[in-house]
Every structure is written in structure tokens, then in C-alpha cells.
């Protein structure tokens, strides 16, 4: 028979402490996977029972991978488990949740979804973007096609794309098949729970059916249920079909209602470059071509940067040589973020191209006459820095850091 959910929830469970409230070595933190999952559930639980959100979230984290899948994919299931946990708290002497003016705990309000919502969102991995599902009007789909054309132009002209895309989006652009392992790069928490579900099905085949999972998921943004297969609501997930469930679940999560947007991006790329030019590439190859290398290689910069001496005919060459050594010494000692800020200030690109051929034009530095009162400037159209011949290394360091952190560009 089905499992009684109240039997799975324990009031003795450890309360969740959200990550923003934890110190670096705080003993209250959970293992990384559990902490990430808890941080994700906590705000959703808070919408129902804000006073007991930490305790309820801690109780939910004790559930199995199969039960956790229900919470992540289905809001009504989450509400059911949250209500059960709240009842357990009350049964163990906990205080009742304060009522709002409507006479009960507040219900979460669905987010308004319209064509004016952002085109992309960051699903899990910070800094990587995936198309945001919406009503997919012709105007919105055309925006995605234009983004695809912009991607094609970046590839055609060796320009950096300032939009790091999720791995499955890159695979769709190069025509590669999506696998369930791509979900790990999109939603690591969901991937881990699906992986654990497969392990549980292999180790204890009879248990999985008791969780009452079916081939039906709740639609995104409250759009109604989605059947992974025809009549999916009536097909139970078993040890025999769990791999099909995981595969179809992944496809729905990565593509699903974003299919028109992904197709439009693909068509936009094809408007600019032939599909054959992407043959043989991997997702990692395409990422390097589009986004460059996140790690700024000082050695590569040294190798390709050209210097122009406009300091004046009376400045000895030894002084110019020493100045160059000062500059590279300071760049080598910069933090990763400061190096990225320098490259952005210098070239208007957030990263270096993957290869030497990607620099068009090559970076250059023009050394101007001596002046400790002026800041360095840049002409990003030609990737050129203009730096006065400062009187000391400390003056160069101070002025350079001030300039790159202002994020302004001087056209000289």
C-alpha cells in the first residue's frame, strides 16, 4: 500500500540553517548536497509556514530521494508534505502558526508570466543561462531568433558572447543529443535525486512503487499537469521503467515548454553560419569559442600584446623597459576578478578568446608622456590601453586599479 507520509517525518530532525546565515566553517552546515537542497526548499516552505520554515525544511530533508522528487517537481505534493510536517510539529507540542488576515497561513502566489519577463534565467549553476519559458508569442520567439543570429555573428567574427549558456543549450545548437547527465549542469539537486532514485530501484525494486510516482509531472508555473507518455498519470514508476522515467523527466525539464525558444535560437544561428561549420564540435568546444577562457592567462597576454611608445623622444629606453616590467608584475599579482576587470576595461570583453586567432585586433598598450595626475584610458574598439609613464610602480598600481574599477571607457 501507499506510505503514510506522517510516518516519514520526524520532529527530532535538525533545523535547517540557510547558507547566508552560516559562517565558512559553521558546524551547523549540512553536507553540500543537503545544504543546497535545503536552501532551495526553505523559501518555498516559508510561504506556507514562515515561523516553522527551518524546522519543516529540516524534516523534509530526511525524506528519500523518491519523495524529494515529488517535492521538487510538484507544488501540490510539496504543500501536502509541508502540511503533514506542520501537523507533526503541533502533535509534539509546537506552537501554532500565526494566522494572516485571511484566516490561515498565507498561500504562495504564482509568479506572473508574460512576454515582458526576462528571456533567460539561471537555473542552478550561477552564471549560466537557459531560455525562460513564457507564452511564446511571435514577438518573443523572434527575440530568441535574433539572439541566435547574434551567436552566429560572434562565431563568424571571433567575438566573445557575453552570455554563458547552459550545456544543453550548447548541445542543441551543435545538433547533439541531450542526455540525462546534462541535467547535472542544469539542476544538480534534481539530478542527484534522480540518480539516487535509480540506485534505490536497483537495490530495493519493490520499494519504489510505494512512493506512488507516475509518468505525470506538474506543469511549470502552474500550467497544469504534463504527461511524459500518453496516459502517464495512470502509469506507475517501477524498477522496470525507472530509466525511461528519468530519461523523459530530463527531456521535459531541459526542453519542455522552452522548445520553441530553443528552436528559434538554433534557426537564428543557421541564418548566419552553415550548420556544417559546427560539425564535430562538443559543447565544451562551443563554450570556449563563444565565451573564451574564464581564467585570464597573463602569459598569453604578454605574448600577443604590442607596445607603442608615445612617451616622448627624451625618455630613455631603459625607463620604458622597466615600466613594462612594472605593468606585467602588477597584472600577475592581480586577483582573478581584477584580471577580468582589466580585460573588460581594455577590450570590452569579459574573457579572453580561446585561441590567439580570436584576438581581433590584438591588444596593445600605448605609453603616454609622464603624468601622475591622469588615469589610464582605453579604446575598446581597437583593444588599446593608454597609460601615462608614471613615476613609480605604486602610482601605476593605484591609477590602474582606480581606472578598471570605474568600468568606464575613454575614447582617445
Amino acid at each position: 500500500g501507499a506510505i503514510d507520509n506522517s510516518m516519514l517525518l520526524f520532529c527530532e530532525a535538525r533545523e535547517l540553517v540557510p547558507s547566508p546565515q552560516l559562517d565558512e566553517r559553521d558546524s551547523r552546515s549540512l553536507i553540500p548536497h543537503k545544504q543546497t537542497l535545503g536552501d532551495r526548499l526553505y523559501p518555498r516552505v516559508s510561504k506556507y509556514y514562515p515561523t516553522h520554515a527551518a524546522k519543516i525544511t529540516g524534516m523534509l530533508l530526511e525524506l528519500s530521494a523518491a519523495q524529494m522528487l515529488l517535492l521538487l517537481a510538484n507544488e501540490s505534493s510539496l504543500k501536502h508534505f509541508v502540511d503533514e510536517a506542520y501537523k507533526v510539529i503541533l502533535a509534539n507540542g509546537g506552537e501554532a502558526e500565526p494566522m494572516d488576515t485571511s484566516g490561515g497561513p498565507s498561500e504562495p502566489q504564482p509568479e506572473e508570466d508574460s512576454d515582458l519577463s526576462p528571456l533567460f534565467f539561471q537555473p542552478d549553476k550561477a552564471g549560466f543561462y537557459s531560455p525562460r519559458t513564457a507564452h511564446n508569442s511571435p514577438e518573443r520567439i523572434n527575440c530568441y531568433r535574433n539572439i541566435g543570429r547574434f551567436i552566429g555573428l560572434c562565431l563568424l567574427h571571433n567575438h566573445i558572447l557575453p552570455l554563458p549558456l547552459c550545456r544543453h543549450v550548447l548541445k542543441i545548437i551543435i545538433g547533439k543529443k541531450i542526455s540525462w547527465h546534462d541535467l547535472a549542469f542544469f539542476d544538480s539537486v534534481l539530478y542527484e535525486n534522480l540518480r539516487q532514485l535509480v540506485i534505490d530501484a536497483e537495490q530495493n525494486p519493490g520499494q519504489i512503487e510505494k512512493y506512488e510516482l507516475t509518468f505525470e509531472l506538474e506543469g511549470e508555473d502552474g500550467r497544469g499537469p504534463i504527461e511524459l507518455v500518453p496516459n502517464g498519470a495512470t502509469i506507475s514508476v517501477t524498477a522496470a521503467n525507472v530509466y525511461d522515467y528519468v530519461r523523459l523527466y530530463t527531456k521535459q525539464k531541459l526542453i519542455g515548454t522552452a522548445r520553441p525558444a530553443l528552436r528559434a535560437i538554433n534557426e537564428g544561428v543557421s541564418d548566419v553560419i552553415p550548420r556544417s561549420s559546427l560539425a564535430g564540435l562538443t559543447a565544451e568546444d562551443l563554450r570556449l569559442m563563444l565565451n573564451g577562457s574564464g581564467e585570464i592567462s597573463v602569459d598569453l597576454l604578454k605574448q600577443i600584446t604590442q607596445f607603442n611608445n608615445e612617451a616622448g623622444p627624451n625618455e630613455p629606453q631603459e625607463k620604458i623597459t622597466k615600466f613594462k616590467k612594472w605593468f606585467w608584475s602588477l597584472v600577475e599579482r592581480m586577483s582573478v576578478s581584477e584580471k577580468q576587470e582589466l580585460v573588460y576595461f581594455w577590450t570590452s570583453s569579459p574573457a579572453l578568446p580561446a585561441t590567439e586567432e580570436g584576438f581581433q585586433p590584438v591588444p596593445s598598450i600605448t605609453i603616454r608622456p609622464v603624468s601622475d595626475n591622469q588615469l589610464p584610458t582605453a579604446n575598446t574598439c581597437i583593444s588599446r590601453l593608454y597609460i601615462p609613464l608614471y613615476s613609480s610602480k605604486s602610482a601605476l598600481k593605484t591609477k590602474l586599479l582606480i581606472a578598471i574599477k570605474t568600468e568606464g571607457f575613454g575614447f582617445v
Side-chain angles (χ1 to χ4, degrees):
I3 295 176
D4 181 359
N5 294 324
S6 64
M7 299 297 293
L8 302 170
L9 300 165
F10 303 97
C11 200
E12 296 78 14
R14 183 175 169 187
E15 287 191 10
L16 172 81
V17 181
S19 291
Q21 300 176 21
L22 291 170
D23 297 328
E24 187 174 346
R25 297 185 178 180
D26 200 313
S27 61
R28 298 174 297 170
S29 64
L30 305 173
I31 59 175
H33 169 65
K34 288 280 189 182
Q35 187 68 43
T36 301
L37 180 55
D39 290 339
R40 191 158 161 187
L41 287 174
Y42 180 78
R44 296 172 65 184
V45 174
S46 295
K47 294 178 181 179
Y48 294 111
Y49 300 104
T51 303
H52 297 290
K55 169 60 74 175
I56 292 175
T57 304
M59 295 167 70
L60 297 180
L61 291 176
E62 299 295 323
L63 295 172
S64 69
Q67 296 289 358
M68 201 60 70
L69 279 175
L70 283 173
L71 305 189
L72 293 172
N74 192 305
E75 189 67 29
S76 61
S77 294
L78 172 65
K79 178 66 164 64
H80 176 70
F81 274 95
V82 168
D83 287 342
E84 290 295 324
Y86 178 59
K87 292 176 183 176
V88 171
I89 291 175
L90 294 181
N92 283 269
E95 294 184 3
E97 187 79 19
M99 297 293 182
D100 63 14
T101 54
S102 63
S106 57
E107 292 284 340
Q109 297 299 317
E111 294 184 6
E112 185 176 351
D113 189 15
S114 71
D115 283 343
L116 299 179
S117 61
L119 294 173
F120 291 85
F121 76 109
Q122 299 181 66
D124 180 34
K125 299 291 185 182
F128 294 94
Y129 294 84
S130 182
R132 186 187 188 98
T133 59
H135 295 300
N136 294 326
S137 67
E139 293 78 13
R140 188 177 178 90
I141 294 302
N142 190 54
C143 288
Y144 286 114
R145 185 159 186 164
N146 286 333
I147 290 171
R149 290 167 177 156
F150 187 72
I151 292 172
L153 287 170
C154 287
L155 291 171
L156 183 64
H157 297 291
N158 281 322
H159 287 307
I160 294 292
L161 176 73
L163 179 67
L165 296 169
C166 288
R167 192 168 190 264
H168 72 284
V169 181
L170 297 175
K171 290 185 76 172
I172 288 173
I173 291 175
I174 59 179
K176 291 291 189 293
K177 187 177 180 180
I178 302 297
S179 74
W180 90 277
H181 294 291
D182 293 319
L183 185 63
F185 298 88
F186 178 84
D187 190 330
S188 59
V189 172
L190 181 57
Y191 171 81
E192 179 60 28
N193 280 282
L194 283 172
R195 188 183 71 85
Q196 192 60 51
L197 178 66
V198 172
I199 293 173
D200 292 346
E202 292 176 345
Q203 295 178 348
N204 192 354
Q207 184 72 7
I208 187 173
E209 297 180 39
K210 296 183 179 180
Y211 293 120
E212 298 183 328
L213 291 172
T214 67
F215 279 71
E216 181 185 68
L217 304 178
E218 184 174 279
E220 297 178 15
D221 302 316
R223 296 184 184 183
I226 295 173
E227 292 187 329
L228 300 178
V229 294
N231 300 315
T234 63
I235 301 175
S236 298
V237 178
T238 66
N241 63 21
V242 67
Y243 285 101
D244 291 333
Y245 176 74
V246 167
R247 177 176 55 82
L248 293 169
Y249 195 124
T250 298
K251 185 177 180 181
Q252 175 61 36
K253 195 69 177 177
L254 296 182
I255 301 177
T257 53
R259 187 184 301 273
L262 292 167
R263 185 186 301 115
I265 291 173
N266 220 0
E267 291 171 350
V269 174
S270 298
D271 289 342
V272 180
I273 58 175
R275 304 301 307 173
S276 58
S277 63
L278 302 177
L281 293 180
T282 66
E284 288 68 30
D285 293 333
L286 184 58
R287 184 180 305 288
L288 274 175
M289 293 173 66
L290 286 175
N291 306 129
S293 173
E295 181 67 31
I296 304 299
S297 171
V298 179
D299 290 337
L300 178 59
L301 274 177
K302 279 185 181 181
Q303 181 181 338
I304 62 175
T305 298
Q306 301 175 351
F307 278 87
N308 307 303
N309 182 12
E310 294 183 1
N314 297 326
E315 297 295 346
Q317 186 59 40
E318 294 79 10
K319 188 173 182 180
I320 301 299
T321 301
K322 181 186 288 188
F323 187 79
K324 293 178 183 178
K325 290 182 179 179
W326 285 352
F327 176 81
W328 292 121
S329 175
L330 291 173
V331 174
E332 287 173 343
R333 288 172 170 77
M334 284 180 173
S335 65
V336 173
S337 61
E338 287 173 339
K339 290 175 185 174
Q340 291 173 337
E341 288 171 344
L342 171 64
V343 171
Y344 183 66
F345 177 80
W346 190 346
T347 69
S348 78
S349 171
L352 294 181
T355 63
E356 219 176 302
E357 292 73 23
F359 289 92
Q360 295 183 2
V362 296
S364 63
I365 297 176
T366 296
I367 301 175
R368 287 289 182 81
V370 176
S371 175
D372 283 355
N373 298 321
Q374 294 181 353
L375 292 174
T377 56
N379 186 336
T380 58
C381 295
I382 56 175
S383 300
R384 179 169 297 174
L385 270 179
Y386 296 89
I387 308 179
L389 185 62
Y390 293 113
S391 60
S392 67
K393 186 177 180 180
S394 62
L396 171 60
K397 178 181 179 180
T398 301
K399 299 295 185 180
L400 186 60
L401 290 176
I402 291 174
I404 66 176
K405 292 183 181 298
T406 59
E407 298 184 358
F409 308 102
F411 291 88
V412 182

